Every structure is written in C-alpha cells, then in structure tokens.
Amino acid sequence: MKGIAIGLSSHSKEILKRLKKTEFVEEIYTAGSSKDDGRENELIQIKKPKEILRKKWLELDLIIFIGSIGASIRIINSFLTSKDQDPGVIVIDKNCSKIVPLIGLHQSNTQNIAFQISNLFGAQIIETNNSYDQSFLNLDSFGNQWGWKRSGKIQNWSKLVIKQAKNEEIFCKQLSGNTLWKTSESGEIINQIKEKETEKPYSTFNVSIFENHETTWHPPVLWIGIGCERNTSKELIANSLNNFLDSENISRYSIAGFATIDIKKDEKGILEIAEENNFPIMFFSKEDLSKIIVPNPSSVVKKEIGTPSVAEASCLLAAGEESKLLKEKRIFKDKDFSATKSGAVTIAIAESKNQYYPRNGEIHIIGSGPGDISYLTNDSRKALARCTVWIGYKMYLDLIKPLKRRDQVLIESKLTEEKERCIKAIKLAEEGIKVALISSGESGFYGMAGLLLELLQKIKKEFRPYFEVHPGISSVQLAAALSGAPLMNDFCSISLSDKLTSWSLIEKRIEGALLGDFVIALFNPQSIERNWQLKSAIDLCLKSRQRNTPVLIARQVGRENQSKRFFTLNTIPFKEIDMLSIIIIGNSQTTLIDEIFLTPRGYLQN
C-alpha cells in the first residue's frame, strides 16, 4: 500500500508522526505557504497539498487528511474521477477524536483501514456508508477479506450495490473457495443458489474460477502444472498459458501458483513469469511425481526424466487432497505462435479444495488481557479490526465479542484444543485470510504465541504467512496492580502445571527463585486433577522463607467476580484455590501494611 498523510495545520504534527509508524502511511506532510514550501521540519515535509496530489494522485492508494472535512473536499475535488480508480481518502480531526472514511470505502478498503486507525488511536469512527449502517455485506469489496479477486464491470457491481441499498434480495452462486463468509451476520442474509441450479436471479454475484464477465469473485484455487523443454522462452510459456485459460473461460485471478519438477528450479522462463505475477512455485521430485496416477502418462517423458508425468502430476500434488484435474495437459510449441517464441511447454490445471494465497494471509496473535474489555490495548483493537476471522476459546471470544463487526466470523473452540486452533489459523492464513488468534492475558505468557510460532517454524519461510504478536496485559500485572506494587523489584513467574513440564524441573525452578530471593508469581496453581502440586511448592518455599512472608491470592482478576485476599506462607487456604487464581509470594523485603502489598526498590535508602 502506498499512502500519505497531510496535516492542514501545524497542530497536526504529533498525529502525523503516529500515522507514519503504521503500515498505511509512507510519507507525511503539513500544509505550508509558498515561502516555506519544500522545507523539512522534524522529518515532516512542508508542502502545498494540491501540489502534492498533482504529482502523486495516480500512484496513491490512500490519502489521510488531518483537519476539516470541508477543506479536504476542496483540495481533492478537481482530482476525483471514479470510485474504482481514485485513492481512498480519510479525514481525521485535529484532536484525533473523530475519523471519517470519505472516499473509496469499498474499492480502496478505506472503511476497514479507518476502523483500524480508530481502534489504534481510541477515536470514534463516523461512518455514513449504507453497508455499515444497515449491516449489509460490502458486495464489491468483501471478497478482498477472503483472499479473492474481483472481475466484472464496475457498473454491474454498482447496480448490484444499489439494489442491495433498496433492500432487494441479493443472491450468490459459489462454486469454489472458502465458504466461512456465509456464517457471518452480514453473509447470512445473502441468498445462496445451489450449484446445480442454472437459472440465476437478476441480483446475483458469483464466486467461481470462471471468467464470465459478470459480477464475480475469484478464489485462488487453481494450480498450473508446467513441463517444458529446456530454455523455453518466457513468451511462449506466457502465451500458452493465456491461450489455455481463455479457451476454457478460466480466470487468471483464480491461479494459486505454479507446480513443476525440481529439475526446473533454474528454468528462467517459469521463474520470471512466477515472479512477475507473484505466484509461488511448488517443486516436486521425480519420485513423488511418479506416484501420482494421471490420465495421460508419457513413456517419452519417463525415459528422459524418470517420471511419466510432470504437468498433470505436479498440479495434482500441489492442489493436495480431494483435488481434481480440472483440465488435462495440452502441449504448445513455437509453431503455435511465432518463431521468436522458442521451445515447447506442457500445461495442465488442477483445482484444489482449499485456497492458497499465503502472501495475502496474516496471523495476529492477540493477548486479550485478563478479562474486562477495557484492558484490551489499542494495538490489539486495531489488529482485531483488521482481521476477518477470530479464533479462540469461547470464553475469551465472548469477552471481546462487543468489538466484532457483522462481517467478521468467530471460530470457537474448547479449552484443551490449543493445537487445533493454531493449525486452523495457519490454514486460513495460507488461504489468504487475515486471522486473529486470541489468547487471554499476554499471549507470550503461557499463551498461544509460543505454540503458533513453533508450528510456523516448520513452514518454509517463502511460503509462511505474515504474523505479528500483539502484547496484552497479563493477569499477574493486574493482580499486582490491584494489591499494590509487589513486582517492583526482580520477580519470576512459574506455572505449576506439570502437563507439559516435568514436576522435577518445576521444583528446580522454584528452588532457583528462592535462592535468588525473587518475588514468585504462581500460574495454574491447582485443579481437580492436580491437587498436590501447590502444597508441595509452598512446602519448598517454607524451607527458605519466613512463615509470615506475605502472599496475595487473586481470583478472576479483570472479571465480574474479581477478588483479592492476603495471607502468609503458613496460612494459605489450599482448598479455596483453583485455576482461576493467581498467587504472588513476596520475597524477604516484601511488606504488607494496611493492605498495601509492596516490594521496595530501595529508593528511600539512597
């Protein structure tokens, strides 16, 4: 994305600097007079707004103004052409309290970007778009969220949106691609046409691999299998592929990637076309290709390279389980085009059950805080607004559900299904979808971040979807804040769950913490199945620390039934502690005076 931000007064500098740190803005400017035009002030260029737009309008995806709506409209008025060509425009007031998506709500994804900025800045979004006010699905843009690309004349899409605004019934005929969108609140109101139904109502859009020149979204589900003579020209491969697709009425937008044999890793023509179109290439060995049953094996190919099929076998392998050979191989030679396009190429097409577009997919691992939605950071709110699918344990999703838009989808799971959650998030991101993986508290403290990253490490870097970890407030931070400042000096946290860590190792860690006189926070202290570990840990502590060492037991922190109680090491009520509790054990310096739990840092001694 190429975006700029323009401040219409000198009071906008701090907002501009914050915007520059986001992924939406590359350059920042403030409006200035002719005498200081071009001068730089704290890395902010001072320019005349119209001069900036005259040079950059055609290349921009997004423009953000900080100032009045009226002034912004007067600046852009002479540059506007059509909504499918103009960049998106957002206006933010000088106090950064109101955000208005003005132009490009659909085509430029401005609406979603405005949501993200409003959550990041804690500002109110002012939205006048029909699809938002009436909870409609953005018919001409929602597919971008699902990794799809759109075809069809903009006029046809506009007619469809107008019919939707008039509350006319809208129909969809989906033949391929992910169907999760139908489960969103906005998606549920779209009427679905079954695959075998041939007659389509007038107000219909399609989700398909076929290029029918109507209102169609195209999911990336097609794998192009390619075999070629050595040094076949890029032009011959490209022309052959275009000819094949056109003759079968198949959209280029549905291509997921190329597939071929590994001896073609240095085949210049294939590599260049893939790079120009941002297509991934899957390479397979002759042994793997030989295992695939194809309709058109070649004895000649087997004799030359050791497998009876390259194009058909490789596209089927890349497409994965439950795939089908959509189009059998066709051979193209230089005589089919012109003498300047040398060589020969064989092409076949397989359709995968699943989309594949990892370059577009993202995984945002979000620490949702200890409970109440007020503890969710603005950075996490921004990430939630960005993501189409939220995955998490049902109880955690329920806590943040008020932030969900009607076009977003929740995938709920049970408490013990952490690995399944991570695998699902990765698969959806590989399909080109932006996914929020929700963890309570801080995702890097006994949360989902570690498991997700372990699984991502197993994926080759070039095929790995983008990921980002968004820190959250941990329950231990809130427990400490509710009680005073027990973590003011060195401290450590230890989980007493021995399901993934042996008890002998947990004991060594407790002993090390005691030796170093650390304040100790105990997570996962006790459950019905694990009913002896806490007593054993406290017995260890009593060997090194005074019996009257102050101890905090906090339960359900950040939630409706939140409680905190103070005890000493020798008075802990073991029967009242469960997995919703967190325990903080003071060190030799920790005090408890008038219910102020404090570990001094030593400031008063200096």
Side-chain angles (χ1 to χ4, degrees):
M1 164 167 286
K2 186 164 186 178
I4 63 171
I6 302 174
L8 301 183
S9 74
S10 59
H11 301 296
S12 59
K13 291 178 183 178
E14 293 308 313
I15 300 175
L16 287 170
K17 290 175 185 177
R18 290 180 68 188
L19 286 170
K20 183 70 163 58
K21 295 178 181 178
T22 71
E23 67 269 36
F24 310 120
V25 173
E26 289 183 352
E27 299 173 356
I28 52 179
Y29 303 89
T30 58
S33 62
S34 56
K35 64 180 180 180
D36 53 23
D37 185 40
R39 184 167 57 85
E40 291 191 4
N41 183 1
E42 297 181 83
L43 304 179
I44 301 175
Q45 300 182 60
I46 301 176
K47 294 268 189 180
K48 295 179 182 178
K50 284 195 175 182
E51 289 296 323
I52 301 169
L53 298 187
R54 192 171 288 114
K55 295 177 181 178
K56 295 180 175 289
W57 183 267
L58 294 177
E59 64 188 56
L60 291 175
D61 300 305
L62 178 69
I63 303 165
I64 300 176
F65 288 104
I66 296 93
S68 77
I69 291 178
S72 303
I73 291 174
R74 285 192 290 273
I75 290 170
I76 66 173
N77 183 51
S78 61
F79 299 98
L80 294 172
T81 55
S82 63
K83 69 177 186 179
D84 60 319
Q85 295 180 2
D86 294 329
V89 178
I90 293 172
V91 181
I92 303 175
D93 74 308
K94 64 180 181 179
N95 298 318
C96 203
S97 61
K98 303 288 190 298
I99 296 178
V100 182
L102 198 63
I103 302 292
L105 273 64
H106 294 212
Q107 282 69 30
S108 300
N109 199 31
T110 310
Q111 186 173 354
N112 186 268
I113 293 171
F115 273 114
Q116 292 180 61
I117 294 174
S118 70
N119 282 306
L120 183 63
F121 287 6
Q124 178 187 359
I125 186 169
I126 299 176
E127 178 63 88
T128 59
N129 184 37
N130 275 337
S131 60
Y132 178 72
D133 290 344
Q134 302 177 37
S135 301
F136 288 155
L137 194 68
N138 281 335
L139 300 177
D140 54 353
S141 65
F142 88 98
N144 296 321
Q145 299 170 244
W146 295 95
W148 306 342
K149 295 179 181 177
R150 194 190 69 192
S151 71
K153 294 180 179 178
I154 187 62
Q155 296 93 324
N156 292 337
W157 283 104
S158 296
K159 289 177 182 177
L160 199 61
V161 172
I162 291 170
K163 288 178 179 293
Q164 182 189 48
K166 293 179 178 179
N167 285 313
E168 294 186 22
E169 284 190 303
I170 303 297
F171 296 82
C172 172
K173 187 169 186 177
Q174 182 166 6
L175 303 179
S176 56
N178 194 298
T179 59
L180 262 178
W181 69 274
K182 298 178 184 180
T183 67
S184 70
E185 294 174 76
S186 299
E188 285 177 342
I189 63 177
I190 304 295
N191 299 284
Q192 301 297 323
I193 301 174
K194 295 180 181 178
E195 183 175 348
K196 295 182 180 179
E197 293 176 346
T198 54
E199 291 188 13
K200 295 186 296 182
Y202 183 65
S203 303
T204 301
F205 69 93
N206 303 274
V207 183
S208 166
I209 63 171
F210 296 107
E211 187 69 71
N212 56 13
H213 305 291
E214 296 180 10
T215 45
T216 305
W217 285 105
H218 301 287
V221 293
L222 301 181
W223 285 93
I224 309 299
I226 301 178
C228 67
E229 291 181 357
R230 178 59 71 183
N231 297 321
T232 295
S233 69
K234 179 183 76 171
E235 292 77 15
L236 176 60
I237 298 172
N239 287 349
S240 301
L241 178 58
N242 290 337
N243 181 289
F244 199 170
L245 296 173
D246 291 342
S247 65
E248 300 295 344
N249 198 35
I250 294 173
S251 174
R252 293 158 184 77
Y253 290 153
S254 281
I255 295 177
F258 288 170
T260 188
I261 191 169
D262 55 10
I263 61 174
K264 296 295 180 182
K265 285 185 177 180
D266 60 349
E267 191 66 55
K268 188 177 179 182
I270 296 176
L271 297 179
E272 288 182 352
I273 295 173
E275 184 178 359
E276 288 173 4
N277 293 277
N278 286 320
F279 292 148
I281 308 177
M282 296 287 187
F283 295 100
F284 300 101
S285 67
K286 63 182 180 182
E287 291 79 13
D288 289 334
L289 294 174
S290 298
K291 298 173 185 176
I292 306 301
I293 299 174
V294 296
N296 302 290
S298 169
S299 57
V300 175
V301 173
K302 181 174 175 58
K303 184 178 179 181
E304 286 187 5
I305 60 176
T307 175
S309 172
V310 172
E312 291 180 340
S314 63
C315 68
L316 282 169
L317 262 179
E321 296 181 2
E322 299 184 55
S323 62
K324 63 179 179 181
L325 189 62
L326 184 68
K327 297 297 174 183
E328 296 181 11
K329 73 178 184 181
R330 282 176 56 182
I331 300 172
F332 299 85
K333 297 184 179 179
D334 51 6
K335 63 182 179 61
D336 297 318
F337 299 99
S338 71
T340 60
K341 299 172 178 61
S342 59
V345 59
T346 304
I347 298 176
I349 304 176
E351 182 176 3
S352 174
K353 178 185 176 183
N354 300 314
Q355 302 172 184
Y356 189 77
Y357 192 9
R359 282 191 174 96
N360 193 69
E362 298 176 3
I363 305 176
H364 293 267
I365 310 107
I366 294 172
S368 62
D372 190 277
I373 201 169
S374 64
Y375 295 112
L376 191 67
T377 67
N378 284 351
D379 178 59
S380 293
R381 288 172 182 260
K382 171 182 174 288
L384 287 171
R386 183 177 182 83
C387 294
T388 306
V389 178
W390 300 0
I391 299 177
Y393 174 42
K394 184 180 184 305
M395 185 175 76
Y396 303 153
L397 289 177
D398 286 343
L399 293 169
I400 60 173
K401 193 175 287 186
L403 298 176
K404 186 183 82 69
R405 299 191 308 270
R406 291 175 65 91
D407 64 321
Q408 293 173 312
V409 173
L410 300 185
I411 298 179
E412 301 173 346
S413 69
K414 297 178 182 178
L415 186 60
T416 57
E417 296 176 346
E418 289 85 358
K419 186 175 181 181
E420 290 80 0
R421 264 177 256 158
C422 291
I423 291 172
K424 183 68 174 178
I426 291 172
K427 288 188 178 300
L428 288 172
E430 287 178 332
E431 291 189 19
I433 300 167
K434 293 173 176 59
V435 184
L437 182 63
I438 311 301
S439 186
S440 68
E442 154 56 36
S443 67
F445 293 178
Y446 313 112
M448 299 297 296
L451 175 56
L452 188 281
L453 298 182
E454 279 188 83
L455 292 170
L456 283 178
Q457 285 178 334
K458 298 180 183 295
I459 302 172
K460 289 184 178 180
K461 189 174 181 179
E462 60 266 31
F463 299 126
R464 190 183 299 158
Y466 172 85
F467 69 90
E468 186 173 348
V469 180
H470 301 268
I473 296 175
S474 170
S475 57
V476 70
Q477 291 173 275
L478 181 54
L482 291 170
S483 64
L487 308 182
M488 270 296 292
N489 216 318
D490 298 334
F491 68 95
C492 68
S493 65
I494 299 174
S495 171
L496 296 188
S497 174
D498 57 356
K499 289 186 175 181
L500 300 175
T501 305
S502 69
W503 181 250
S504 60
L505 182 54
I506 293 172
E507 283 185 316
K508 287 181 181 178
R509 290 173 178 171
I510 295 172
E511 290 168 351
L514 292 168
L515 182 64
D517 198 26
F518 284 86
V519 172
I520 303 173
L522 297 180
F523 284 77
N524 306 315
Q526 189 161 263
S527 66
I528 296 174
E529 296 84 12
R530 296 184 300 101
N531 53 18
W532 58 267
Q533 287 89 341
L534 176 59
K535 179 67 166 58
S536 180
I538 297 303
D539 288 342
L540 272 176
C541 293
L542 285 168
K543 292 179 180 179
S544 302
R545 294 197 178 169
Q546 298 295 321
R547 295 165 63 84
N548 62 350
T549 299
V551 175
L552 167 71
I553 297 178
R555 189 175 185 277
Q556 290 270 51
V557 291
R559 299 174 188 172
E560 188 176 351
N561 299 318
Q562 171 180 287
S563 67
K564 65 171 184 179
R565 291 191 296 166
F566 296 105
F567 299 90
T568 58
L569 267 179
N570 66 328
T571 62
I572 292 175
F574 294 103
K575 292 182 179 180
E576 299 177 22
I577 296 172
D578 58 14
M579 288 290 285
L580 299 176
S581 306
I582 187 163
I583 301 172
I584 299 180
I585 302 171
N587 68 6
S588 62
Q589 304 299 313
T590 304
T591 61
L592 179 61
I593 301 173
D594 299 329
E595 293 207 339
I596 298 176
F597 195 27
L598 172 64
T599 303
R601 184 77 187 277
Y603 292 116
L604 297 183
Q605 298 172 9
N606 293 334

